[in-house]
Amino acid sequence: MDTNRARPMTVGELSRRTGVPVKTLREYTDLGLIYTLGRSPANYRLFDADALWCVRFIGELRGLGLTVAEIRELTTAYLDDTGPPTGPRMTELLHRSRERLEQRIAEQQRTLRRIEEFEAEHRADLGCEGDTEFCWAGNPRGCATRA
């Protein structure tokens, strides 16, 4: 018999086994993403091996860019036997995550272009063409020179 499966874990042990902070595990439990077996006589939350799978699956979904709210929505839909299948909902959530990621990439690319433009415009001031101190145009204090 697998003794790890039969023996309940505290939130601390679940944290050690998954690498997820205790605070996050408590949040997931409070949101209904991870179910507990109840509490110990010392009032510790107790988890079984199924919680390991849940935490890893949540981590996988978070790694795909889903928000905790989206994961909760998906979990709620999964548990609703009368609702539509969760596959199409998962597809929709992954599409939404992809859109968010593409927007972040586009913003990062815009920032990269601004850096390149700034460097090109201020090449001489940045010390790329000599050993000069950067002087921001229009600086009300003027530009100091180093001795």
Side-chain angles (χ1 to χ4, degrees):
M1 177 178 175
D2 184 357
T3 56
N4 284 333
R5 176 128 177 103
R7 189 177 58 80
M9 294 175 277
T10 63
V11 71
E13 184 175 349
L14 183 60
S15 174
R16 282 188 297 281
R17 292 180 68 178
T18 61
V20 176
V22 168
K23 182 178 179 182
T24 302
L25 293 173
R26 287 184 181 133
E27 178 186 335
Y28 290 168
T29 303
D30 292 343
L31 291 171
L33 300 178
I34 307 171
Y35 294 102
T36 67
L37 296 172
R39 294 201 176 248
S40 72
N43 206 30
Y44 290 109
R45 298 173 199 226
L46 296 175
F47 301 90
D48 63 11
D50 292 346
L52 292 169
W53 180 87
C54 287
V55 173
R56 290 182 183 129
F57 189 63
I58 292 167
E60 176 88 17
L61 294 176
R62 294 289 288 143
L64 294 172
L66 271 65
T67 66
V68 172
E70 289 169 335
I71 296 168
R72 185 170 188 229
E73 180 183 326
L74 190 63
T75 302
T76 301
Y78 176 76
L79 294 173
D80 181 7
D81 294 336
T82 62
T86 55
R89 184 67 188 133
M90 173 72 94
T91 300
E92 181 183 331
L93 293 173
L94 289 170
H95 180 73
R96 192 184 304 171
S97 177
R98 179 190 312 268
E99 287 176 348
R100 284 190 303 261
L101 181 58
E102 288 171 348
Q103 289 172 357
R104 286 195 305 268
I105 290 169
E107 179 58 36
Q108 294 297 312
Q109 288 173 333
R110 285 190 291 273
T111 301
L112 184 58
R113 282 191 299 276
R114 287 196 317 265
I115 290 170
E116 290 166 353
E117 290 167 3
F118 186 91
E119 286 178 329
E121 184 177 337
H122 299 283
R123 186 163 182 76
D125 296 329
L126 292 172
C128 299
E129 296 175 356
D131 198 16
T132 61
E133 189 66 29
F134 178 72
C135 181
W136 194 281
N139 181 350
R141 294 184 179 193
C143 296
T145 57
R146 292 189 185 206

